[in-house]
């Protein structure tokens, strides 16, 4: 194990010990079976996973299992994939089942009106499809906004467009812009960008020093471009997406 990896392992071990002590002081117990160890390295190899396993970190004396993927609050994370790259396909899977149930229910009760079906899609399907999109969807939204396209092509967005094609009874080759115009729907990336902006505003309204506000300020600091992880900063991606639609976000002086 290299010096950098050894230092990271030592820091993680210290953090685990501190967390165990804090949990004990509050009389809390930790479910080790549900607690996993994952290194967000960005490497598309098993090397990072092997290093994580070899670190042999423990929590309260119990060995932590090393994994390459983990789901937290319904959002999927992967050790070698960006957040959007893991979360969007993972949300599309349960949303596809919700879409099937929505169609089945409409057929059972005889709902044929397109506006009603679209409202049901937003309630029954998009609520599943876009769960947590204010966090993971901002990267896709920024990409789509900067490219001036109707869709960034993620699995989640393709599901929405597939539903619209089925609703209109048109061919797969029908342009995305035509589908959205005919149904009066907005592309998912615009919804995600709006939700991200609301999260930005809500975070700024938090009490100074709150955990959520600290996370935002850390993201803003990463956005200055000096750090290697700056391109992955949530705040930078939000600013890029808003700038592409004509709204300037000053990261130097964060304001609603």
């Amino acid at each position: 194990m290299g010096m950098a990896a050894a230092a990271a392992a030592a820091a993680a071990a210290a953090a685990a010990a501190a967390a165990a002590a804090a949990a004990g002081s509050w009389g809390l117990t930790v479910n080790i079976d549900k607690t996993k160890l994952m290194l967000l390295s960005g490497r598309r190899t098993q090397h990072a996973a092997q290093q994580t396993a070899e670190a042999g970190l423990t929590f309260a004396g119990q060995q932590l299992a090393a994994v390459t993927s983990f789901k937290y609050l319904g959002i999927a994370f992967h050790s070698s994939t960006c957040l959007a790259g893991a979360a969007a396909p993972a949300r599309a899977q349960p949303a596809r089942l919700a879409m099937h149930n929505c169609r089945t229910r409409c057929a059972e009760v005889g709902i044929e009106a397109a506006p009603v079906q679209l409202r049901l899609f937003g309630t029954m399907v998009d609520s599943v499809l876009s769960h947590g999109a204010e966090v993971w969807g901002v990267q896709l939204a920024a990409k789509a906004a900067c490219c001036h396209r109707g869709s960034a092509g993620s699995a989640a967005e393709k599901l929405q467009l597939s539903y619209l094609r089925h609703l209109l009874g048109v061919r797969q080759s029908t342009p995305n812009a035509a589908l959205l115009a005919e149904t009066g729907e907005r592309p998912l990336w615009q919804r995600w960008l709006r939700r991200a902006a609301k999260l930005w505003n809500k975070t700024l309204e938090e009490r100074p020093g709150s955990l959520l506000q600290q996370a935002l300020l850390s993201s803003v600091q990463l956005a200055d471009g000096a750090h290697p992880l700056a391109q992955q900063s949530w705040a930078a991606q939000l600013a890029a997406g808003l700038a592409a639609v004509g709204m300037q976000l000053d990261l130097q002086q964060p304001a609603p």
Side-chain angles (χ1 to χ4, degrees):
M1 181 183 298
M3 295 182 61
S25 66
W26 287 93
L28 302 176
T29 58
V30 176
N31 189 331
I32 300 299
D33 292 334
K34 294 183 178 180
T35 305
K36 308 299 180 184
L37 182 63
M38 185 176 71
L39 176 62
L40 297 171
S41 67
R43 299 177 182 175
R44 298 186 180 277
T45 67
Q46 292 300 315
H47 180 64
Q50 292 173 0
Q51 278 192 327
T52 307
E54 291 170 359
L57 295 184
T58 62
F59 187 93
Q62 300 186 60
Q63 186 76 35
L64 294 178
V67 298
T68 57
S69 61
F70 190 76
K71 183 175 288 187
Y72 179 68
L73 297 179
I75 300 178
F77 296 81
H78 197 278
S79 61
S80 62
T81 307
C82 66
L83 179 56
R91 295 312 310 165
Q93 293 178 8
R96 192 170 288 107
L97 177 59
M99 183 174 69
H100 174 73
N101 293 336
C102 181
R103 288 175 177 170
T104 301
R105 187 56 180 162
C106 286
E108 289 176 347
V109 299
I111 296 177
E112 297 181 354
V116 178
Q117 292 193 47
L118 288 173
R119 289 187 62 183
L120 289 174
F121 178 87
T123 302
M124 300 176 63
V125 184
D126 188 36
S127 58
V128 178
L129 187 62
S130 298
H131 172 70
E134 54 267 57
V135 176
W136 57 261
V138 66
Q139 181 179 2
L140 298 173
K143 180 180 178 181
C146 293
C147 295
H148 303 286
R149 296 189 300 174
S151 169
S154 69
E157 292 167 290
K158 288 178 181 178
L159 187 66
Q160 180 207 27
L161 297 171
S162 174
Y163 179 85
L164 296 181
R165 285 189 173 88
H166 181 272
L167 180 65
L168 296 175
V170 297
R171 299 177 179 178
Q172 291 296 317
S173 58
T174 304
N176 298 340
L179 296 173
L180 296 169
E182 186 67 22
T183 57
E185 290 291 289
R186 292 186 178 275
L188 284 182
W189 70 263
Q190 290 188 9
R191 301 183 188 181
W192 297 343
L193 190 60
R194 181 184 178 90
R195 290 176 60 164
K198 287 184 176 180
L199 176 59
W200 168 276
N201 288 343
K202 180 180 179 181
T203 304
L204 291 179
E205 294 172 356
E206 289 282 309
R207 60 176 178 79
S210 68
L211 185 60
L212 184 59
Q213 197 166 94
Q214 289 182 50
L216 177 64
L217 294 179
S218 296
S219 182
V220 169
Q221 291 175 358
L222 282 175
D224 62 8
H227 196 282
L229 296 179
Q231 62 179 350
Q232 301 178 20
S233 167
W234 180 87
Q237 292 168 353
L238 175 61
L242 291 176
V245 296
M247 297 181 64
Q248 299 302 319
L249 188 63
D250 186 359
L251 296 180
Q252 301 300 320
Q253 297 180 333

